[in-house]
Amino acid sequence: MRTIKENQPLSQLSTLGTGGVAEFFASPESLEELQEILRFYAGKCPVFVIGGGSNIIIPDGNIKGLTISTRNLKSINWLSNFTAEIQSGFSLPLLLKTIRGRNSGGLEFAAGIPGTIGGAVAGNAGAGGKGICDFVDEVRALDSAGNLRIYRRSEFDYGYRRCSISDEGVIIVSVLMTFRESRAEDEKEFSDFMTRRRNQPLNSRSAGCTFKNPEGYSAGKLLDECGCKGLCIGDAVVSDIHANFILNRGKASSSDVLRLIEICASKVYGDMGIKLEPEIKTLSPCFCV
Ligand code: EPU
């Protein structure tokens, strides 16, 4: 198939800049192209999906099977003043900019969050107790045979950094979202979230926050109090600016990062008795054989 590449290095598709090589790789530009690819590969090999790559660790070595990047599925279609169908590869920062430019609001909490809409919905990306799924009316996804499935709002549930659709074994291709008219208080919220982002190491390679905040605690504060800042394995290092960020300061591998995550979690468990759960996901198959 013309659109399939072989032996494609994947590290540049993750903001962390680590990871191995995909046996087969595709970056389809339309829903139909993705359907055709899935029908060709259906049941023959594992299928992996990468969105914006800002919240994942891609394993080192050879990744057998087909890896799909959604970055070329990036259209937005306004159905009314406040409602749009947005393809999964559309950038979240660009969405925020677009709706602010249309005098719509509600998404200010997403200020500074990288990634694509598909990834943001799959993990209910958010901040300050708010999440992107609050604005989703409908999710459109493909199953392993390339068939379209539509999940209405009542057919999925979500919570802090989770959405049930990511357990369904489907690829999110687009979402229907409804925003609201902008309000005076939106500007303050936007600048407050931007300010909080300034306490994060945004100029270094990372996959964002490493751990979820355990109920009633801040993971960054716990890691800081347990002396994790500056801990390193190879070129993977815990940020001195915000302890919930692991940085790739050069040639880190994904296994360096994963070992460092384990060390940090066991330090917090040993010192405080609190179990930290990773927020970053390790790339795993969306469909297996
Ligand atoms: N803190 C420390 N030391 C550190 C880091 C933080 O003492 O090394 C303290 C801060 O001073 C503050 C508290 O911990 O008092 C909370 O820190 P912060 O304001 O940075 O918020 P957070 O809970 O660590 C959350 C989200 C971020 C989001 C920010 C800002 C999670 C796990 N993290 O961080 O999301 O950007 O709020 O809105 O929910 C992400 O999802 O990748 C992410 C980075």
Side-chain angles (χ1 to χ4, degrees):
M1 206 177 287
R2 188 172 58 83
T3 49
I4 305 292
K5 290 183 183 164
E6 286 184 38
N7 301 319
Q8 172 76 21
L10 295 180
S11 60
Q12 293 312 311
L13 292 185
S14 98
T15 53
L16 196 52
T18 65
V21 174
E23 184 182 17
F24 303 112
F25 176 79
S27 190
E29 290 178 10
S30 68
L31 177 63
E32 294 69 30
E33 188 184 344
L34 176 55
Q35 285 178 307
E36 192 192 333
I37 291 167
L38 289 176
R39 284 176 184 144
F40 183 83
Y41 281 91
K44 291 185 189 144
C45 66
V47 177
F48 302 84
V49 179
I50 300 180
S54 55
N55 199 39
I56 50 158
I57 299 178
I58 297 171
D60 297 321
N62 289 325
I63 298 161
K64 275 192 83 65
L66 171 69
T67 300
I68 290 166
S69 162
T70 59
R71 66 184 165 171
N72 289 326
L73 293 172
K74 52 182 181 192
S75 71
I76 182 163
N77 180 19
W78 288 94
L79 306 175
S80 70
N81 270 357
F82 296 115
T83 301
E85 184 181 357
I86 308 158
Q87 279 193 317
S88 56
F90 197 87
S91 137
L92 179 58
L94 182 57
L95 178 65
L96 179 58
K97 197 173 161 202
T98 305
I99 67 166
R100 281 167 61 75
R102 293 172 61 94
N103 292 324
S104 295
L107 266 199
E108 288 66 30
F109 66 85
I113 301 182
T116 56
I117 291 300
V121 169
N124 191 21
K130 297 181 180 178
I132 194 100
C133 290
D134 290 334
F135 297 85
V136 176
D137 301 326
E138 202 171 281
V139 176
R140 296 170 186 183
L142 294 181
D143 66 17
S144 59
N147 299 319
L148 188 65
R149 299 231 201 134
I150 297 180
Y151 299 87
R152 287 181 197 86
R153 200 172 163 73
S154 57
E155 292 167 318
F156 62 90
D157 70 276
Y158 58 90
Y160 173 61
R161 299 296 194 276
R162 65 161 197 94
C163 173
S164 59
I165 291 174
S166 54
D167 305 323
E168 294 270 332
V170 291
I171 300 177
I172 297 175
V173 286
S174 65
V175 295
L176 205 65
M177 294 181 80
T178 299
F179 309 103
R180 57 158 173 76
E181 204 159 349
S182 60
R183 297 177 187 150
E185 63 267 27
D186 292 345
E187 276 318 300
K188 184 174 175 333
E189 190 169 346
F190 181 77
S191 65
D192 284 352
F193 278 111
M194 282 311 249
T195 306
R196 282 179 72 188
R197 282 260 152 196
R198 288 196 192 103
N199 302 324
Q200 299 177 357
L202 300 182
N203 295 325
S204 308
R205 302 207 80 156
S206 83
C209 283
T210 310
F211 298 100
K212 297 180 184 180
N213 284 336
E215 182 104 40
Y217 295 94
S218 157
K221 194 157 189 254
L222 292 171
L223 291 155
D224 193 356
E225 285 168 359
C226 293
C228 292
K229 280 183 173 172
L231 285 182
C232 60
I233 300 283
D235 269 349
V237 59
V238 178
S239 166
D240 277 333
I241 299 172
H242 193 301
N244 203 13
F245 283 70
I246 289 180
L247 313 180
N248 174 6
R249 64 180 166 196
K251 294 196 165 73
S253 65
S254 290
S255 48
D256 293 337
V257 176
L258 290 167
R259 274 181 61 206
L260 193 52
I261 289 176
E262 264 176 44
I263 289 169
C264 288
S266 63
K267 234 173 157 356
V268 171
Y269 190 63
D271 292 6
M272 311 270 196
I274 298 170
K275 278 196 175 145
L276 290 181
E277 195 191 324
E279 184 193 310
I280 304 181
K281 293 175 182 149
T282 302
L283 184 68
S284 61
C286 188
F287 315 126
C288 301
V289 267

